[in-house]
Amino acid sequence: ITVETPEYSGVLDDGTAYRVSASSARASVDATDRIGLSDASLSMARPDGVTTQVDAAHAVLDTTTQLVEVPGTAEVANSEGTSGVLDDTIFDYRSQQLTGRGPVSIDYADGTHLEAEGLTFDATRLVWTFTRATVTLPDTPGANQP
């Protein structure tokens, strides 16, 4: 089964509006709950006005477990100037948890750069946790103070 340009949207418990879209969606008649997405895109707008965009060439939406799996690379950017690349990620809609099992590279608007072996993100509490992270600061904190 193939659907061209599928799209769905909703609102999370915290008021964040989201929209998922793809250039196409495919499901096998043997596993209709696992939907393969091509050119997948996720847009989120939090109540505080911050927007986030996530794009991946391929993703799998499992409607039974409410998981979105991105086995390859996902590009992430937000309206605050942060952007990055995450590899091998799973987002669990039920628990509002993102798990990255592969390399992470993030550039923050202030020039800070982060590299890590993996990550977790608790979307409910807005808490990021990185595994074996290296952070490069653009300057030493307080360096411009007399």
Coordinates of all heavy atoms in Angstrom, one line a residue, residues 8-54:
Y8 N -0.1 14.2 8.9 CA -1.0 14.2 10.0 C -0.5 15.2 11.0 O 0.7 15.6 11.0 CB -1.2 12.8 10.6 CG 0.0 12.2 11.4 CD1 0.1 12.4 12.8 CD2 0.9 11.5 10.8 CE1 1.1 11.9 13.5 CE2 2.0 10.9 11.5 CZ 2.1 11.1 12.8 OH 3.1 10.6 13.5
S9 N -1.3 15.7 11.9 CA -0.9 16.7 12.8 C -1.7 16.5 14.1 O -2.7 15.8 14.2 CB -1.2 18.1 12.3 OG -2.5 18.3 11.9
G10 N -1.2 17.2 15.2 CA -1.9 17.1 16.5 C -1.3 18.0 17.4 O -0.4 18.8 17.1
V11 N -1.7 17.9 18.7 CA -1.2 18.7 19.8 C -0.8 17.8 20.9 O -1.6 17.0 21.3 CB -2.2 19.8 20.2 CG1 -1.7 20.6 21.4 CG2 -2.7 20.6 19.1
L12 N 0.4 18.0 21.5 CA 0.9 17.2 22.6 C 0.3 17.8 23.9 O -0.3 18.8 23.9 CB 2.4 17.3 22.6 CG 3.2 16.8 21.4 CD1 4.7 17.0 21.5 CD2 2.9 15.3 21.2
D13 N 0.5 17.0 25.0 CA 0.0 17.4 26.3 C 0.4 18.8 26.7 O -0.3 19.5 27.4 CB 0.4 16.4 27.3 CG -0.4 15.0 27.1 OD1 -1.4 15.0 26.4 OD2 0.1 14.0 27.7
D14 N 1.6 19.2 26.4 CA 2.1 20.5 26.8 C 1.7 21.7 25.9 O 2.1 22.8 26.1 CB 3.7 20.5 26.9 CG 4.3 20.4 25.6 OD1 3.7 20.2 24.5 OD2 5.6 20.5 25.5
G15 N 0.9 21.4 24.9 CA 0.4 22.4 24.0 C 1.2 22.5 22.7 O 0.9 23.4 21.9
T16 N 2.3 21.8 22.6 CA 3.1 21.8 21.4 C 2.3 21.3 20.2 O 1.8 20.1 20.2 CB 4.4 21.0 21.6 OG1 5.1 21.6 22.6 CG2 5.2 21.0 20.3
A17 N 2.2 22.1 19.1 CA 1.5 21.6 17.9 C 2.6 20.9 17.0 O 3.7 21.4 16.9 CB 0.9 22.8 17.2
Y18 N 2.2 19.8 16.4 CA 3.1 19.1 15.5 C 2.5 18.7 14.2 O 1.3 18.6 14.2 CB 3.8 17.9 16.2 CG 2.8 16.8 16.5 CD1 2.5 15.8 15.5 CD2 2.0 16.7 17.7 CE1 1.6 14.8 15.8 CE2 1.1 15.7 17.9 CZ 0.9 14.7 16.9 OH 0.0 13.7 17.2
R19 N 3.3 18.6 13.2 CA 2.8 18.2 11.9 C 3.9 17.2 11.3 O 5.1 17.5 11.3 CB 2.7 19.4 11.0 CG 2.2 19.0 9.6 CD 2.1 20.4 8.8 NE 2.1 20.1 7.4 CZ 3.2 20.0 6.6 NH1 4.4 20.3 7.2 NH2 3.2 19.8 5.3
V20 N 3.4 16.0 10.9 CA 4.3 15.0 10.3 C 3.9 14.9 8.8 O 2.7 14.8 8.5 CB 4.2 13.7 11.0 CG1 5.1 12.6 10.3 CG2 4.6 13.8 12.5
S21 N 4.9 14.9 7.9 CA 4.6 14.8 6.5 C 5.7 14.0 5.9 O 6.8 13.8 6.4 CB 4.4 16.1 5.9 OG 5.6 16.9 5.9
A22 N 5.4 13.5 4.6 CA 6.4 12.8 3.9 C 6.1 12.9 2.4 O 4.9 13.2 2.0 CB 6.4 11.3 4.3
S23 N 7.0 12.5 1.5 CA 6.7 12.5 0.1 C 5.9 11.3 -0.2 O 5.1 11.3 -1.2 CB 8.0 12.6 -0.7 OG 8.8 11.4 -0.5
S24 N 6.1 10.2 0.5 CA 5.3 9.0 0.4 C 5.4 8.1 1.6 O 6.3 8.3 2.4 CB 5.7 8.2 -0.9 OG 7.0 7.6 -0.6
A25 N 4.3 7.3 1.8 CA 4.3 6.4 2.9 C 3.9 5.0 2.3 O 3.1 4.9 1.4 CB 3.2 6.8 3.9
R26 N 4.6 4.0 2.8 CA 4.4 2.6 2.3 C 4.2 1.7 3.5 O 4.9 1.8 4.5 CB 5.5 2.1 1.4 CG 5.8 3.0 0.3 CD 6.8 2.4 -0.6 NE 6.1 1.5 -1.5 CZ 6.5 1.0 -2.6 NH1 7.8 1.2 -2.9 NH2 5.8 0.3 -3.4
A27 N 3.2 0.7 3.3 CA 3.0 -0.3 4.3 C 2.8 -1.6 3.6 O 2.1 -1.7 2.6 CB 1.8 0.0 5.2
S28 N 3.4 -2.6 4.2 CA 3.2 -4.0 3.6 C 1.8 -4.5 4.1 O 1.4 -4.2 5.2 CB 4.3 -4.9 4.1 OG 3.9 -6.3 3.9
V29 N 1.1 -5.3 3.3 CA -0.2 -5.8 3.7 C 0.0 -6.8 4.9 O -0.9 -7.1 5.6 CB -0.9 -6.5 2.5 CG1 -1.3 -5.5 1.5 CG2 -0.1 -7.6 1.9
D30 N 1.3 -7.3 5.1 CA 1.5 -8.2 6.2 C 1.8 -7.4 7.5 O 1.8 -8.0 8.6 CB 2.8 -9.1 5.9 CG 2.5 -10.0 4.7 OD1 1.3 -10.3 4.5 OD2 3.5 -10.3 4.0
A31 N 2.1 -6.1 7.4 CA 2.5 -5.3 8.6 C 1.9 -3.9 8.4 O 2.7 -2.9 8.3 CB 4.0 -5.3 8.8
T32 N 0.7 -3.7 8.3 CA 0.1 -2.4 8.1 C 0.3 -1.4 9.2 O 0.1 -0.2 9.0 CB -1.4 -2.5 7.8 OG1 -2.1 -3.1 8.9 CG2 -1.7 -3.3 6.5
D33 N 0.7 -1.8 10.4 CA 1.0 -0.9 11.5 C 2.4 -0.3 11.4 O 2.7 0.7 12.1 CB 0.8 -1.6 12.8 CG 1.7 -2.8 13.0 OD1 2.2 -3.4 12.0 OD2 2.0 -3.1 14.2
R34 N 3.3 -0.8 10.5 CA 4.6 -0.2 10.3 C 4.7 0.5 9.0 O 4.7 -0.2 7.9 CB 5.7 -1.3 10.4 CG 5.8 -1.8 11.9 CD 7.0 -2.7 12.1 NE 8.2 -2.2 11.7 CZ 9.0 -1.4 12.4 NH1 8.6 -0.9 13.5 NH2 10.2 -1.0 11.9
I35 N 4.7 1.8 9.0 CA 4.6 2.6 7.8 C 5.9 3.2 7.5 O 6.5 4.0 8.3 CB 3.5 3.7 8.0 CG1 2.1 3.0 8.3 CG2 3.4 4.6 6.7 CD1 1.1 4.0 8.8
G36 N 6.5 2.9 6.4 CA 7.7 3.5 5.9 C 7.5 4.8 5.3 O 6.7 5.0 4.4
L37 N 8.2 5.9 5.8 CA 8.1 7.2 5.3 C 9.3 7.6 4.5 O 10.4 7.4 4.9 CB 7.9 8.2 6.4 CG 6.7 7.9 7.4 CD1 6.8 8.9 8.6 CD2 5.4 8.0 6.7
S38 N 9.1 8.2 3.3 CA 10.2 8.7 2.5 C 10.2 10.2 2.6 O 9.1 10.9 2.6 CB 10.1 8.3 1.0 OG 10.2 6.9 0.9
D39 N 11.4 10.8 2.7 CA 11.5 12.3 2.9 C 10.6 12.8 4.0 O 9.8 13.7 3.8 CB 11.2 13.0 1.5 CG 12.1 12.6 0.4 OD1 13.3 12.4 0.7 OD2 11.6 12.4 -0.7
A40 N 10.8 12.2 5.2 CA 10.0 12.5 6.3 C 10.3 13.8 6.9 O 11.5 14.3 6.9 CB 10.1 11.4 7.4
S41 N 9.3 14.5 7.4 CA 9.5 15.8 8.0 C 8.6 16.0 9.3 O 7.4 15.6 9.2 CB 9.1 16.9 7.0 OG 9.3 18.2 7.6
L42 N 9.1 16.5 10.3 CA 8.4 16.8 11.5 C 8.6 18.3 11.9 O 9.7 18.7 12.0 CB 8.9 15.9 12.7 CG 8.4 16.3 14.1 CD1 6.9 16.2 14.2 CD2 9.1 15.5 15.2
S43 N 7.5 19.0 12.0 CA 7.5 20.4 12.4 C 6.8 20.5 13.8 O 5.7 19.9 13.9 CB 6.8 21.3 11.4 OG 7.4 21.2 10.2
M44 N 7.4 21.2 14.7 CA 6.8 21.4 16.0 C 6.8 22.9 16.4 O 7.8 23.6 16.1 CB 7.6 20.6 17.1 CG 7.5 19.1 16.9 SD 8.3 18.2 18.2 CE 10.0 18.6 17.8
A45 N 5.7 23.4 17.0 CA 5.7 24.7 17.5 C 5.2 24.7 19.0 O 4.1 24.3 19.3 CB 4.7 25.5 16.7
R46 N 6.2 25.0 19.9 CA 5.9 25.0 21.3 C 5.1 26.3 21.7 O 5.1 27.3 21.0 CB 7.2 25.0 22.1 CG 7.9 23.7 22.0 CD 9.1 23.6 23.0 NE 9.6 24.8 23.5 CZ 11.0 25.0 23.6 NH1 11.8 24.1 23.3 NH2 11.4 26.2 24.1
P47 N 4.3 26.2 22.8 CA 3.5 27.4 23.2 C 4.4 28.6 23.4 O 3.9 29.7 23.3 CB 2.9 26.9 24.5 CG 2.9 25.4 24.4 CD 4.1 25.0 23.6
D48 N 5.7 28.5 23.7 CA 6.5 29.6 24.0 C 7.0 30.3 22.7 O 7.8 31.2 22.7 CB 7.7 29.3 24.9 CG 8.7 28.3 24.3 OD1 8.5 27.9 23.1 OD2 9.6 27.9 25.0
G49 N 6.6 29.7 21.5 CA 7.0 30.3 20.2 C 8.2 29.6 19.5 O 8.4 29.9 18.4
V50 N 8.9 28.8 20.2 CA 10.1 28.1 19.6 C 9.6 27.0 18.6 O 8.7 26.2 19.0 CB 11.0 27.5 20.7 CG1 12.1 26.7 20.0 CG2 11.6 28.5 21.6
T51 N 10.1 27.1 17.4 CA 9.7 26.1 16.4 C 10.9 25.2 16.2 O 12.1 25.6 16.3 CB 9.3 26.7 15.1 OG1 10.3 27.5 14.6 CG2 8.0 27.6 15.3
T52 N 10.7 23.9 15.9 CA 11.7 22.9 15.6 C 11.3 22.2 14.3 O 10.1 21.8 14.1 CB 11.8 21.9 16.7 OG1 12.2 22.6 17.9 CG2 12.9 20.9 16.5
Q53 N 12.3 21.9 13.5 CA 12.1 21.2 12.2 C 13.1 20.0 12.2 O 14.2 20.2 12.5 CB 12.4 22.1 11.0 CG 12.3 21.4 9.7 CD 10.8 21.2 9.3 OE1 9.9 22.0 9.7 NE2 10.6 20.1 8.6
V54 N 12.5 18.8 11.9 CA 13.3 17.6 11.8 C 13.1 17.0 10.5 O 11.9 16.8 10.1 CB 13.0 16.6 12.9 CG1 13.9 15.3 12.8 CG2 13.1 17.2 14.3

